[in-house]
Amino acid sequence: MLRFRFPIVIIDEDFRSENTSGFGIRALAEAIEKEGFEVLGATSYGDLSQFAQQQSRASAFILSIDDEEFTPGPELDPAVLNLRKFIQEIRFKNADIPIYIYGETRTSQHIPNDVLRELHGFIHMFEDTPEFVARHIIREARSYLDGLAPPFFKALMDYAQDGSYSWHCPGHSGGVAFLKSPVGQMFHQFFGENMLRADVCNSVEELGQLLDHTGPVLQSERNAARIFNADHCFFVTNGTSTSNKMVWHHTVAPGDVVVVDRNCHKSILHSIIMTGAVPVFLPPTRNHYGIIGPIPESEFSPEAIRAKIAANPLLAGVDPATVKPRILTLTQSTYDGVLYNTETIKHALDGYIDTLHFDEAWLPHAAFHTFYGPYHAMGKKRPRPKDQLVFATQSTHKLLAGISQASQVLVQDAQERKLDRHLFNEAYLMHTSTSPQYAIIASCDVAAAMMEAPGGPALVEESIQESLDFRRAMRKVDADFGDQDWWFTVWGPETLAAEGIGHSRDWVLKANEPWHGFGDLADGFNLLDPIKCTLITPGLGVNGQFAETGIPASIVTKFLAEHGVVVEKTGLYSFFIMFTIGITKGRWNTLLTALQQFKDDHDRNAPLWRILPEFCAAHPRYERMGLRDLCQAIHQTYAKGDIARLTTEMYLSDIVPAMKPSDAYAHIAHRKTERVPIDQLEGRITTSLLTPYPPGIPLLIPGERFNKKICDYLRFTREFNAAFPGFDTDVHGLVEEEVPGEGRRYYVDCIQA
Ligand SMILES: *Cc1c(COP(=O)(O)O)cnc(C)c1O
């Protein structure tokens, strides 16, 4: 049996007292420890209720209450009220952990029914021997712990524990190979023995097979399917990038027409290239902060899609009425947290597109809180489409407790169309390594089990709560600074509940509201996920107007990084953080403090050598500048290039496909490409994906032609990068070359002329 540290927690105000009740409870604690279980003694609930982590580490609670604590009379005693509050707090997250009350025989009469119902037992002081009581509690605690691990994780722990010698791969043999070298020893000590013992290969029968979905792996996938409201779940150990390719390869063949969000992740574009599909893109709105908005509801109709098919030069001569697109893929939660009402979309396209694919890389939490209503792919008790398979691909590792690359494909059958699991698995196999990492599978399993009610809903509620607390704290700082002074704002609706998590209707995007700047949106079609927080720095209006002064976000995030706060994504005048289930009050308070520090340093124009020492060590040219001067210099360069407008227009510009993405890509395989300098790009056809960071949204895909706007943008980037090394805008797909004496040159690989 693996030894875990899950203490039995005793809360008794006499735990350390020299009186009868103190002796009694300590005798029980000793008896428990003699049986090999750890005991954690506390003298008040207050010690514990602050520490959710302590609570989840307990294997049982013993809560003591004394008779003399009761006041006579019908109303509930404060001691009982405290007890009830504490028990409710535990049960909010944990339905199963054993809870005992320890008290005198008469005490039970004072405990109301709603509390008694939650108990595993009432321990009558001095009625049994401490040893007898200890064994009883330990049995319950063990049985609770035994029930915790979901099927695969349990089997893996058992296997790693079992100590059998293996002759199969991996070659490190449970970590032993590492012990034969000093640096290997270091690796072993760093990661620990269990990680290496649990790194097994798929010839271990008792763990089941990921690639065939058998044994404990299958049990765990079924368990996750149930938890996430799906009919099928497939764990994927290579990230949602791979999950997406599986969904596509199962459904799309060369020449098929597909409908895709233009703001999609690059793995979808890779899927288009791999399958040889002809994409029809749905363009999202954007505002001048660079925040991607929703695709308007009107685009999700067979008529609108047919019009796009008719206008696509790659489909010239095809009668749109005869085309049935194979799949619709939608980014369900943009980076900034914009969500769609999936019921509206299913309804609008049922019978026209048979496969809907919601890329929920950022949204695995939504199924666990009523806050998200229909704004995610698969909910409880929702009607099934008549004829549409619904896929959701989720990065368990982005917002839940999965380790990197943990991902899953969820599938919901239609009333009249079911997933053929065998056929799906052909695509699954095409993209899965034959040596999957078992720790990733285990984390898919555990991440799902953690979301089981009531724990999962409680965790999501806490994330929303923390995010709203953060937003309220930011508004309070703003109010304290007053109208005359600047502060960062958090992007989101004007109305913010004064406390608690409020109501999700406050987060529905309404037509023409100035805060979002996405224009005339359809009623109830989109929701902003509050756990995604985009912070706006001063300098740029939502209309794209540059202010006199400004603070480019890249400087703020560099400052934060040097203060130990690393953000998720940086835009021009915005950056982005997430309230995942791993975020704590301490973490966002640190961010808040660091932002205040930034403001101080900015307003004092503090010298950069002092406040960004690491950055200045790498780029001495900034050493003597002040923080405000640097902000102003970059701000003015942005303003001069009118970069907000340029980026928006570039993304909204008319991009013409000249050939199928897979045909353009074939030029790479056949080495028929040409490296074209950026001044000569206009009119050329790219063979690379071109993706600027920020915002990380692909701009051109293979087979599309460079237009003037995009070339202007690349030229601006070149000049900017030369002027502000260290703040470079990174454009994936650009080939850089350092020419001695001339500086950096930029090229893009294009179809040979
Ligand atoms: C991150 C992301 C992916 C890819 O997920 P990985 O797990 O990193 O492979 C797919 N789609 C979207 C929208 C993403 O943001």
mmCIF file with all atom_site columns, all heavy atoms in Angstrom, residues 238-242 244 263-265 267-268 331 333 335 359 361-362 395 397-398 405-407, ligand 1:
data_model
loop_
_atom_site.group_PDB
_atom_site.id
_atom_site.type_symbol
_atom_site.label_atom_id
_atom_site.label_alt_id
_atom_site.label_comp_id
_atom_site.label_asym_id
_atom_site.label_entity_id
_atom_site.label_seq_id
_atom_site.pdbx_PDB_ins_code
_atom_site.Cartn_x
_atom_site.Cartn_y
_atom_site.Cartn_z
_atom_site.occupancy
_atom_site.B_iso_or_equiv
_atom_site.pdbx_formal_charge
_atom_site.auth_seq_id
_atom_site.auth_comp_id
_atom_site.auth_asym_id
_atom_site.auth_atom_id
_atom_site.pdbx_PDB_model_num
ATOM   1   N N   . ASN A 1 238 ? -1.143  14.420 -26.761 1.00 0.00 ? 238 ASN A N   1
ATOM   2   C CA  . ASN A 1 238 ? -0.307  15.368 -27.508 1.00 0.00 ? 238 ASN A CA  1
ATOM   3   C C   . ASN A 1 238 ? -0.998  16.705 -27.674 1.00 0.00 ? 238 ASN A C   1
ATOM   4   O O   . ASN A 1 238 ? -0.843  17.377 -28.692 1.00 0.00 ? 238 ASN A O   1
ATOM   5   C CB  . ASN A 1 238 ? 0.034   14.854 -28.903 1.00 0.00 ? 238 ASN A CB  1
ATOM   6   C CG  . ASN A 1 238 ? 0.459   13.416 -28.907 1.00 0.00 ? 238 ASN A CG  1
ATOM   7   O OD1 . ASN A 1 238 ? -0.331  12.523 -28.584 1.00 0.00 ? 238 ASN A OD1 1
ATOM   8   N ND2 . ASN A 1 238 ? 1.690   13.182 -29.249 1.00 0.00 ? 238 ASN A ND2 1
ATOM   9   N N   . GLY A 1 239 ? -1.791  17.094 -26.694 1.00 0.00 ? 239 GLY A N   1
ATOM   10  C CA  . GLY A 1 239 ? -2.411  18.403 -26.743 1.00 0.00 ? 239 GLY A CA  1
ATOM   11  C C   . GLY A 1 239 ? -3.621  18.462 -27.660 1.00 0.00 ? 239 GLY A C   1
ATOM   12  O O   . GLY A 1 239 ? -3.889  17.543 -28.442 1.00 0.00 ? 239 GLY A O   1
ATOM   13  N N   . THR A 1 240 ? -4.325  19.574 -27.546 1.00 0.00 ? 240 THR A N   1
ATOM   14  C CA  . THR A 1 240 ? -5.510  19.775 -28.378 1.00 0.00 ? 240 THR A CA  1
ATOM   15  C C   . THR A 1 240 ? -5.112  20.002 -29.833 1.00 0.00 ? 240 THR A C   1
ATOM   16  O O   . THR A 1 240 ? -5.912  19.817 -30.747 1.00 0.00 ? 240 THR A O   1
ATOM   17  C CB  . THR A 1 240 ? -6.347  20.932 -27.801 1.00 0.00 ? 240 THR A CB  1
ATOM   18  O OG1 . THR A 1 240 ? -6.742  20.556 -26.481 1.00 0.00 ? 240 THR A OG1 1
ATOM   19  C CG2 . THR A 1 240 ? -7.593  21.213 -28.607 1.00 0.00 ? 240 THR A CG2 1
ATOM   20  N N   . SER A 1 241 ? -3.868  20.399 -30.057 1.00 0.00 ? 241 SER A N   1
ATOM   21  C CA  . SER A 1 241 ? -3.390  20.480 -31.441 1.00 0.00 ? 241 SER A CA  1
ATOM   22  C C   . SER A 1 241 ? -3.641  19.138 -32.117 1.00 0.00 ? 241 SER A C   1
ATOM   23  O O   . SER A 1 241 ? -4.087  19.082 -33.276 1.00 0.00 ? 241 SER A O   1
ATOM   24  C CB  . SER A 1 241 ? -1.885  20.767 -31.461 1.00 0.00 ? 241 SER A CB  1
ATOM   25  O OG  . SER A 1 241 ? -1.598  21.919 -30.726 1.00 0.00 ? 241 SER A OG  1
ATOM   26  N N   . THR A 1 242 ? -3.363  18.073 -31.403 1.00 0.00 ? 242 THR A N   1
ATOM   27  C CA  . THR A 1 242 ? -3.564  16.736 -31.955 1.00 0.00 ? 242 THR A CA  1
ATOM   28  C C   . THR A 1 242 ? -5.036  16.329 -31.927 1.00 0.00 ? 242 THR A C   1
ATOM   29  O O   . THR A 1 242 ? -5.541  15.756 -32.896 1.00 0.00 ? 242 THR A O   1
ATOM   30  C CB  . THR A 1 242 ? -2.694  15.730 -31.181 1.00 0.00 ? 242 THR A CB  1
ATOM   31  O OG1 . THR A 1 242 ? -1.327  16.062 -31.435 1.00 0.00 ? 242 THR A OG1 1
ATOM   32  C CG2 . THR A 1 242 ? -2.943  14.313 -31.612 1.00 0.00 ? 242 THR A CG2 1
ATOM   33  N N   . ASN A 1 244 ? -7.523  18.178 -32.360 1.00 0.00 ? 244 ASN A N   1
ATOM   34  C CA  . ASN A 1 244 ? -8.169  18.815 -33.510 1.00 0.00 ? 244 ASN A CA  1
ATOM   35  C C   . ASN A 1 244 ? -7.882  18.056 -34.807 1.00 0.00 ? 244 ASN A C   1
ATOM   36  O O   . ASN A 1 244 ? -8.771  17.866 -35.644 1.00 0.00 ? 244 ASN A O   1
ATOM   37  C CB  . ASN A 1 244 ? -7.679  20.265 -33.638 1.00 0.00 ? 244 ASN A CB  1
ATOM   38  C CG  . ASN A 1 244 ? -8.282  21.159 -32.566 1.00 0.00 ? 244 ASN A CG  1
ATOM   39  O OD1 . ASN A 1 244 ? -9.251  20.772 -31.898 1.00 0.00 ? 244 ASN A OD1 1
ATOM   40  N ND2 . ASN A 1 244 ? -7.719  22.339 -32.395 1.00 0.00 ? 244 ASN A ND2 1
ATOM   41  N N   . ASN A 1 263 ? -10.343 33.116 -36.914 1.00 0.00 ? 263 ASN A N   1
ATOM   42  C CA  . ASN A 1 263 ? -9.527  33.299 -35.722 1.00 0.00 ? 263 ASN A CA  1
ATOM   43  C C   . ASN A 1 263 ? -9.179  31.952 -35.084 1.00 0.00 ? 263 ASN A C   1
ATOM   44  O O   . ASN A 1 263 ? -9.082  31.827 -33.883 1.00 0.00 ? 263 ASN A O   1
ATOM   45  C CB  . ASN A 1 263 ? -10.336 34.193 -34.766 1.00 0.00 ? 263 ASN A CB  1
ATOM   46  C CG  . ASN A 1 263 ? -9.911  34.115 -33.331 1.00 0.00 ? 263 ASN A CG  1
ATOM   47  O OD1 . ASN A 1 263 ? -8.718  34.195 -33.040 1.00 0.00 ? 263 ASN A OD1 1
ATOM   48  N ND2 . ASN A 1 263 ? -10.857 33.946 -32.434 1.00 0.00 ? 263 ASN A ND2 1
ATOM   49  N N   . CYS A 1 264 ? -9.001  30.939 -35.923 1.00 0.00 ? 264 CYS A N   1
ATOM   50  C CA  . CYS A 1 264 ? -8.811  29.609 -35.324 1.00 0.00 ? 264 CYS A CA  1
ATOM   51  C C   . CYS A 1 264 ? -7.351  29.385 -34.938 1.00 0.00 ? 264 CYS A C   1
ATOM   52  O O   . CYS A 1 264 ? -6.452  30.111 -35.359 1.00 0.00 ? 264 CYS A O   1
ATOM   53  C CB  . CYS A 1 264 ? -9.269  28.530 -36.293 1.00 0.00 ? 264 CYS A CB  1
ATOM   54  S SG  . CYS A 1 264 ? -8.290  28.474 -37.781 1.00 0.00 ? 264 CYS A SG  1
ATOM   55  N N   . HIS A 1 265 ? -7.158  28.379 -34.138 1.00 0.00 ? 265 HIS A N   1
ATOM   56  C CA  . HIS A 1 265 ? -5.809  27.985 -33.736 1.00 0.00 ? 265 HIS A CA  1
ATOM   57  C C   . HIS A 1 265 ? -5.081  27.391 -34.930 1.00 0.00 ? 265 HIS A C   1
ATOM   58  O O   . HIS A 1 265 ? -5.681  26.832 -35.837 1.00 0.00 ? 265 HIS A O   1
ATOM   59  C CB  . HIS A 1 265 ? -5.923  26.943 -32.625 1.00 0.00 ? 265 HIS A CB  1
ATOM   60  C CG  . HIS A 1 265 ? -4.604  26.561 -32.023 1.00 0.00 ? 265 HIS A CG  1
ATOM   61  N ND1 . HIS A 1 265 ? -3.987  25.371 -32.306 1.00 0.00 ? 265 HIS A ND1 1
ATOM   62  C CD2 . HIS A 1 265 ? -3.797  27.208 -31.147 1.00 0.00 ? 265 HIS A CD2 1
ATOM   63  C CE1 . HIS A 1 265 ? -2.853  25.294 -31.612 1.00 0.00 ? 265 HIS A CE1 1
ATOM   64  N NE2 . HIS A 1 265 ? -2.713  26.385 -30.917 1.00 0.00 ? 265 HIS A NE2 1
ATOM   65  N N   . SER A 1 267 ? -3.518  24.768 -35.308 1.00 0.00 ? 267 SER A N   1
ATOM   66  C CA  . SER A 1 267 ? -3.709  23.330 -35.542 1.00 0.00 ? 267 SER A CA  1
ATOM   67  C C   . SER A 1 267 ? -4.878  23.071 -36.499 1.00 0.00 ? 267 SER A C   1
ATOM   68  O O   . SER A 1 267 ? -4.905  22.052 -37.193 1.00 0.00 ? 267 SER A O   1
ATOM   69  C CB  . SER A 1 267 ? -3.924  22.598 -34.221 1.00 0.00 ? 267 SER A CB  1
ATOM   70  O OG  . SER A 1 267 ? -5.033  23.132 -33.536 1.00 0.00 ? 267 SER A OG  1
ATOM   71  N N   . ILE A 1 268 ? -5.838  23.993 -36.534 1.00 0.00 ? 268 ILE A N   1
ATOM   72  C CA  . ILE A 1 268 ? -6.952  23.837 -37.478 1.00 0.00 ? 268 ILE A CA  1
ATOM   73  C C   . ILE A 1 268 ? -6.441  24.136 -38.893 1.00 0.00 ? 268 ILE A C   1
ATOM   74  O O   . ILE A 1 268 ? -6.791  23.458 -39.861 1.00 0.00 ? 268 ILE A O   1
ATOM   75  C CB  . ILE A 1 268 ? -8.121  24.786 -37.112 1.00 0.00 ? 268 ILE A CB  1
ATOM   76  C CG1 . ILE A 1 268 ? -8.660  24.446 -35.725 1.00 0.00 ? 268 ILE A CG1 1
ATOM   77  C CG2 . ILE A 1 268 ? -9.226  24.728 -38.166 1.00 0.00 ? 268 ILE A CG2 1
ATOM   78  C CD1 . ILE A 1 268 ? -9.267  23.076 -35.581 1.00 0.00 ? 268 ILE A CD1 1
ATOM   79  N N   . THR A 1 331 ? -13.808 28.500 -32.633 1.00 0.00 ? 331 THR A N   1
ATOM   80  C CA  . THR A 1 331 ? -13.017 28.682 -31.417 1.00 0.00 ? 331 THR A CA  1
ATOM   81  C C   . THR A 1 331 ? -13.974 29.075 -30.303 1.00 0.00 ? 331 THR A C   1
ATOM   82  O O   . THR A 1 331 ? -14.467 30.201 -30.268 1.00 0.00 ? 331 THR A O   1
ATOM   83  C CB  . THR A 1 331 ? -11.968 29.794 -31.616 1.00 0.00 ? 331 THR A CB  1
ATOM   84  O OG1 . THR A 1 331 ? -11.330 29.564 -32.874 1.00 0.00 ? 331 THR A OG1 1
ATOM   85  C CG2 . THR A 1 331 ? -10.946 29.792 -30.509 1.00 0.00 ? 331 THR A CG2 1
ATOM   86  N N   . SER A 1 333 ? -14.460 30.000 -27.006 1.00 0.00 ? 333 SER A N   1
ATOM   87  C CA  . SER A 1 333 ? -13.665 30.807 -26.113 1.00 0.00 ? 333 SER A CA  1
ATOM   88  C C   . SER A 1 333 ? -12.418 31.235 -26.848 1.00 0.00 ? 333 SER A C   1
ATOM   89  O O   . SER A 1 333 ? -11.479 30.474 -27.049 1.00 0.00 ? 333 SER A O   1
ATOM   90  C CB  . SER A 1 333 ? -13.243 30.139 -24.804 1.00 0.00 ? 333 SER A CB  1
ATOM   91  O OG  . SER A 1 333 ? -12.702 31.156 -23.982 1.00 0.00 ? 333 SER A OG  1
ATOM   92  N N   . TYR A 1 335 ? -9.132  33.709 -26.918 1.00 0.00 ? 335 TYR A N   1
ATOM   93  C CA  . TYR A 1 335 ? -8.175  34.045 -25.869 1.00 0.00 ? 335 TYR A CA  1
ATOM   94  C C   . TYR A 1 335 ? -8.810  34.937 -24.808 1.00 0.00 ? 335 TYR A C   1
ATOM   95  O O   . TYR A 1 335 ? -8.645  34.739 -23.616 1.00 0.00 ? 335 TYR A O   1
ATOM   96  C CB  . TYR A 1 335 ? -7.010  34.838 -26.473 1.00 0.00 ? 335 TYR A CB  1
ATOM   97  C CG  . TYR A 1 335 ? -5.738  34.056 -26.549 1.00 0.00 ? 335 TYR A CG  1
ATOM   98  C CD1 . TYR A 1 335 ? -5.147  33.781 -27.778 1.00 0.00 ? 335 TYR A CD1 1
ATOM   99  C CD2 . TYR A 1 335 ? -5.111  33.616 -25.399 1.00 0.00 ? 335 TYR A CD2 1
ATOM   100 C CE1 . TYR A 1 335 ? -3.962  33.079 -27.850 1.00 0.00 ? 335 TYR A CE1 1
ATOM   101 C CE2 . TYR A 1 335 ? -3.922  32.913 -25.471 1.00 0.00 ? 335 TYR A CE2 1
ATOM   102 C CZ  . TYR A 1 335 ? -3.349  32.653 -26.693 1.00 0.00 ? 335 TYR A CZ  1
ATOM   103 O OH  . TYR A 1 335 ? -2.184  31.964 -26.762 1.00 0.00 ? 335 TYR A OH  1
ATOM   104 N N   . ASP A 1 359 ? -13.818 24.119 -30.692 1.00 0.00 ? 359 ASP A N   1
ATOM   105 C CA  . ASP A 1 359 ? -12.462 24.040 -30.151 1.00 0.00 ? 359 ASP A CA  1
ATOM   106 C C   . ASP A 1 359 ? -12.495 24.692 -28.772 1.00 0.00 ? 359 ASP A C   1
ATOM   107 O O   . ASP A 1 359 ? -12.352 25.907 -28.636 1.00 0.00 ? 359 ASP A O   1
ATOM   108 C CB  . ASP A 1 359 ? -11.492 24.751 -31.097 1.00 0.00 ? 359 ASP A CB  1
ATOM   109 C CG  . ASP A 1 359 ? -10.046 24.659 -30.604 1.00 0.00 ? 359 ASP A CG  1
ATOM   110 O OD1 . ASP A 1 359 ? -9.836  24.281 -29.432 1.00 0.00 ? 359 ASP A OD1 1
ATOM   111 O OD2 . ASP A 1 359 ? -9.141  24.975 -31.388 1.00 0.00 ? 359 ASP A OD2 1
ATOM   112 N N   . ALA A 1 361 ? -10.434 24.489 -26.292 1.00 0.00 ? 361 ALA A N   1
ATOM   113 C CA  . ALA A 1 361 ? -9.141  24.401 -25.615 1.00 0.00 ? 361 ALA A CA  1
ATOM   114 C C   . ALA A 1 361 ? -9.141  25.198 -24.310 1.00 0.00 ? 361 ALA A C   1
ATOM   115 O O   . ALA A 1 361 ? -8.550  24.784 -23.319 1.00 0.00 ? 361 ALA A O   1
ATOM   116 C CB  . ALA A 1 361 ? -8.034  24.894 -26.540 1.00 0.00 ? 361 ALA A CB  1
ATOM   117 N N   . TRP A 1 362 ? -9.837  26.340 -24.327 1.00 0.00 ? 362 TRP A N   1
ATOM   118 C CA  . TRP A 1 362 ? -9.846  27.225 -23.153 1.00 0.00 ? 362 TRP A CA  1
ATOM   119 C C   . TRP A 1 362 ? -11.123 27.106 -22.331 1.00 0.00 ? 362 TRP A C   1
ATOM   120 O O   . TRP A 1 362 ? -11.416 27.990 -21.539 1.00 0.00 ? 362 TRP A O   1
ATOM   121 C CB  . TRP A 1 362 ? -9.708  28.690 -23.598 1.00 0.00 ? 362 TRP A CB  1
ATOM   122 C CG  . TRP A 1 362 ? -8.397  29.007 -24.192 1.00 0.00 ? 362 TRP A CG  1
ATOM   123 C CD1 . TRP A 1 362 ? -8.109  29.127 -25.515 1.00 0.00 ? 362 TRP A CD1 1
ATOM   124 C CD2 . TRP A 1 362 ? -7.166  29.235 -23.499 1.00 0.00 ? 362 TRP A CD2 1
ATOM   125 N NE1 . TRP A 1 362 ? -6.786  29.409 -25.683 1.00 0.00 ? 362 TRP A NE1 1
ATOM   126 C CE2 . TRP A 1 362 ? -6.189  29.483 -24.458 1.00 0.00 ? 362 TRP A CE2 1
ATOM   127 C CE3 . TRP A 1 362 ? -6.819  29.248 -22.145 1.00 0.00 ? 362 TRP A CE3 1
ATOM   128 C CZ2 . TRP A 1 362 ? -4.863  29.743 -24.115 1.00 0.00 ? 362 TRP A CZ2 1
ATOM   129 C CZ3 . TRP A 1 362 ? -5.516  29.507 -21.813 1.00 0.00 ? 362 TRP A CZ3 1
ATOM   130 C CH2 . TRP A 1 362 ? -4.546  29.752 -22.801 1.00 0.00 ? 362 TRP A CH2 1
ATOM   131 N N   . SER A 1 395 ? -8.293  21.383 -23.906 1.00 0.00 ? 395 SER A N   1
ATOM   132 C CA  . SER A 1 395 ? -6.956  21.269 -23.308 1.00 0.00 ? 395 SER A CA  1
ATOM   133 C C   . SER A 1 395 ? -7.123  21.197 -21.799 1.00 0.00 ? 395 SER A C   1
ATOM   134 O O   . SER A 1 395 ? -7.217  22.221 -21.135 1.00 0.00 ? 395 SER A O   1
ATOM   135 C CB  . SER A 1 395 ? -6.096  22.476 -23.665 1.00 0.00 ? 395 SER A CB  1
ATOM   136 O OG  . SER A 1 395 ? -5.787  22.484 -25.029 1.00 0.00 ? 395 SER A OG  1
ATOM   137 N N   . HIS A 1 397 ? -5.017  20.716 -19.817 1.00 0.00 ? 397 HIS A N   1
ATOM   138 C CA  . HIS A 1 397 ? -3.872  21.331 -19.133 1.00 0.00 ? 397 HIS A CA  1
ATOM   139 C C   . HIS A 1 397 ? -3.960  22.838 -19.082 1.00 0.00 ? 397 HIS A C   1
ATOM   140 O O   . HIS A 1 397 ? -3.233  23.474 -18.335 1.00 0.00 ? 397 HIS A O   1
ATOM   141 C CB  . HIS A 1 397 ? -2.561  20.918 -19.825 1.00 0.00 ? 397 HIS A CB  1
ATOM   142 C CG  . HIS A 1 397 ? -2.405  21.455 -21.212 1.00 0.00 ? 397 HIS A CG  1
ATOM   143 N ND1 . HIS A 1 397 ? -1.696  22.594 -21.479 1.00 0.00 ? 397 HIS A ND1 1
ATOM   144 C CD2 . HIS A 1 397 ? -2.886  21.033 -22.400 1.00 0.00 ? 397 HIS A CD2 1
ATOM   145 C CE1 . HIS A 1 397 ? -1.714  22.832 -22.794 1.00 0.00 ? 397 HIS A CE1 1
ATOM   146 N NE2 . HIS A 1 397 ? -2.429  21.899 -23.371 1.00 0.00 ? 397 HIS A NE2 1
ATOM   147 N N   . LYS A 1 398 ? -4.853  23.459 -19.889 1.00 0.00 ? 398 LYS A N   1
ATOM   148 C CA  . LYS A 1 398 ? -4.856  24.922 -19.881 1.00 0.00 ? 398 LYS A CA  1
ATOM   149 C C   . LYS A 1 398 ? -5.623  25.479 -18.688 1.00 0.00 ? 398 LYS A C   1
ATOM   150 O O   . LYS A 1 398 ? -5.187  26.442 -18.094 1.00 0.00 ? 398 LYS A O   1
ATOM   151 C CB  . LYS A 1 398 ? -5.431  25.460 -21.188 1.00 0.00 ? 398 LYS A CB  1
ATOM   152 C CG  . LYS A 1 398 ? -4.431  25.415 -22.320 1.00 0.00 ? 398 LYS A CG  1
ATOM   153 C CD  . LYS A 1 398 ? -4.972  26.032 -23.577 1.00 0.00 ? 398 LYS A CD  1
ATOM   154 C CE  . LYS A 1 398 ? -3.902  26.044 -24.658 1.00 0.00 ? 398 LYS A CE  1
ATOM   155 N NZ  . LYS A 1 398 ? -4.499  26.219 -25.995 1.00 0.00 ? 398 LYS A NZ  1
ATOM   156 N N   . GLN A 1 405 ? 0.093   19.070 -22.364 1.00 0.00 ? 405 GLN A N   1
ATOM   157 C CA  . GLN A 1 405 ? -0.330  18.157 -23.429 1.00 0.00 ? 405 GLN A CA  1
ATOM   158 C C   . GLN A 1 405 ? -1.538  17.305 -23.063 1.00 0.00 ? 405 GLN A C   1
ATOM   159 O O   . GLN A 1 405 ? -2.029  16.542 -23.897 1.00 0.00 ? 405 GLN A O   1
ATOM   160 C CB  . GLN A 1 405 ? 0.816   17.254 -23.911 1.00 0.00 ? 405 GLN A CB  1
ATOM   161 C CG  . GLN A 1 405 ? 1.966   18.070 -24.477 1.00 0.00 ? 405 GLN A CG  1
ATOM   162 C CD  . GLN A 1 405 ? 2.945   17.256 -25.266 1.00 0.00 ? 405 GLN A CD  1
ATOM   163 O OE1 . GLN A 1 405 ? 2.615   16.216 -25.815 1.00 0.00 ? 405 GLN A OE1 1
ATOM   164 N NE2 . GLN A 1 405 ? 4.166   17.736 -25.355 1.00 0.00 ? 405 GLN A NE2 1
ATOM   165 N N   . ALA A 1 406 ? -2.035  17.377 -21.850 1.00 0.00 ? 406 ALA A N   1
ATOM   166 C CA  . ALA A 1 406 ? -3.248  16.619 -21.511 1.00 0.00 ? 406 ALA A CA  1
ATOM   167 C C   . ALA A 1 406 ? -4.434  17.256 -22.232 1.00 0.00 ? 406 ALA A C   1
ATOM   168 O O   . ALA A 1 406 ? -4.672  18.460 -22.110 1.00 0.00 ? 406 ALA A O   1
ATOM   169 C CB  . ALA A 1 406 ? -3.477  16.614 -20.007 1.00 0.00 ? 406 ALA A CB  1
ATOM   170 N N   . SER A 1 407 ? -5.141  16.443 -22.993 1.00 0.00 ? 407 SER A N   1
ATOM   171 C CA  . SER A 1 407 ? -6.232  16.971 -23.804 1.00 0.00 ? 407 SER A CA  1
ATOM   172 C C   . SER A 1 407 ? -7.276  15.886 -23.981 1.00 0.00 ? 407 SER A C   1
ATOM   173 O O   . SER A 1 407 ? -7.019  14.708 -23.686 1.00 0.00 ? 407 SER A O   1
ATOM   174 C CB  . SER A 1 407 ? -5.672  17.412 -25.160 1.00 0.00 ? 407 SER A CB  1
ATOM   175 O OG  . SER A 1 407 ? -6.706  17.732 -26.068 1.00 0.00 ? 407 SER A OG  1
HETATM 176 C C1  . LIG B 2 .   ? -3.906  26.079 -27.210 1.00 0.00 ? 1   LIG B C1  1
HETATM 177 C C2  . LIG B 2 .   ? -4.947  25.857 -28.221 1.00 0.00 ? 1   LIG B C2  1
HETATM 178 C C3  . LIG B 2 .   ? -5.002  24.682 -28.963 1.00 0.00 ? 1   LIG B C3  1
HETATM 179 C C4  . LIG B 2 .   ? -3.919  23.650 -28.876 1.00 0.00 ? 1   LIG B C4  1
HETATM 180 O O1  . LIG B 2 .   ? -3.883  23.064 -27.637 1.00 0.00 ? 1   LIG B O1  1
HETATM 181 P P1  . LIG B 2 .   ? -2.553  22.351 -27.091 1.00 0.00 ? 1   LIG B P1  1
HETATM 182 O O2  . LIG B 2 .   ? -3.114  21.563 -25.970 1.00 0.00 ? 1   LIG B O2  1
HETATM 183 O O3  . LIG B 2 .   ? -1.622  23.429 -26.700 1.00 0.00 ? 1   LIG B O3  1
HETATM 184 O O4  . LIG B 2 .   ? -2.010  21.505 -28.189 1.00 0.00 ? 1   LIG B O4  1
HETATM 185 C C5  . LIG B 2 .   ? -6.044  24.504 -29.827 1.00 0.00 ? 1   LIG B C5  1
HETATM 186 N N1  . LIG B 2 .   ? -6.990  25.433 -29.983 1.00 0.00 ? 1   LIG B N1  1
HETATM 187 C C6  . LIG B 2 .   ? -6.977  26.591 -29.292 1.00 0.00 ? 1   LIG B C6  1
HETATM 188 C C7  . LIG B 2 .   ? -8.074  27.585 -29.502 1.00 0.00 ? 1   LIG B C7  1
HETATM 189 C C8  . LIG B 2 .   ? -5.955  26.848 -28.400 1.00 0.00 ? 1   LIG B C8  1
HETATM 190 O O5  . LIG B 2 .   ? -5.916  28.001 -27.753 1.00 0.00 ? 1   LIG B O5  1
#
